[in-house]
Amino acid sequence: MLLEIKENPDPILRKKTAKIKDALAPEVQQLILNMTETMQKIKGVGLAANQVGLSLRLCVIEVEKEIYTLINPKITAKSKKRFQSEEGCFSFPGIYLTVPRANEVQVRFLNKEGKPQKIKASGLLSSALQHEIDHLDGVLFIDRIKKPKVEKTQTQTN
Ligand code: CO
């Protein structure tokens, strides 16, 4: 089933999501299927549960044809080195930003079978993990860019 995407400024996007207690609960498993189907249909790299209106700590990511289901993910390590990541977000249709992200991250989570997993990622997977885990904390990619300096507009005198 395709799910409706919540767009900015929907307040659910700003709320920290709740941990999932039972990864194997039928409603959680159904949500995973629906989120995966929705992400693939809209050709997305990732989707967080609060983007489809459920404030739960769950996201799905697809990078290089591999699908990752992350339940209760947590970033456990982050490289100091950063890179500029070109990102879009389904909650901000048509907006693309260059966001500084850590080159490498390590993430702990439960997979869809409820088994604890640890991954180390770089490149697109690293930025996708940071973008989606930010969503689960109520943080949006617009928060990660430097605010442009406000410059005084020169008044034309002639
Ligand atoms: Co997003």
Side-chain angles (χ1 to χ4, degrees), residues 2 17 24 34 38 41 52 62 67 85 92 100 109 118 125 127 133 136 145:
L2 290 183
T17 55
L24 301 178
N34 291 342
T38 304
K41 180 83 186 185
V52 294
E62 182 170 8
I67 295 174
S85 160
F92 292 81
F109 60 100
K118 210 189 221 176
L125 182 57
S127 56
I133 294 170
L136 301 177
I145 55 166

Side-chain angles (χ1 to χ4, degrees), residues 1-5 20 27-62 67-71 90 132 135-136:
M1 193 182 85
L2 290 183
L3 304 167
E4 192 199 316
I5 309 273
I20 290 178
E27 59 272 25
V28 172
Q29 292 292 312
Q30 189 59 49
L31 177 61
I32 292 168
L33 287 177
N34 291 342
M35 282 174 59
T36 307
E37 192 188 333
T38 304
M39 171 180 70
Q40 293 189 309
K41 180 83 186 185
I42 58 184
K43 300 193 192 321
V45 171
L47 191 61
N50 47 348
Q51 286 185 284
V52 294
L54 285 147
S55 195
L56 293 171
R57 204 160 176 86
L58 161 69
C59 63
V60 290
I61 289 174
E62 182 170 8
I67 295 174
Y68 302 83
T69 302
L70 301 106
I71 299 168
F90 288 106
E132 299 311 324
H135 269 302
L136 301 177

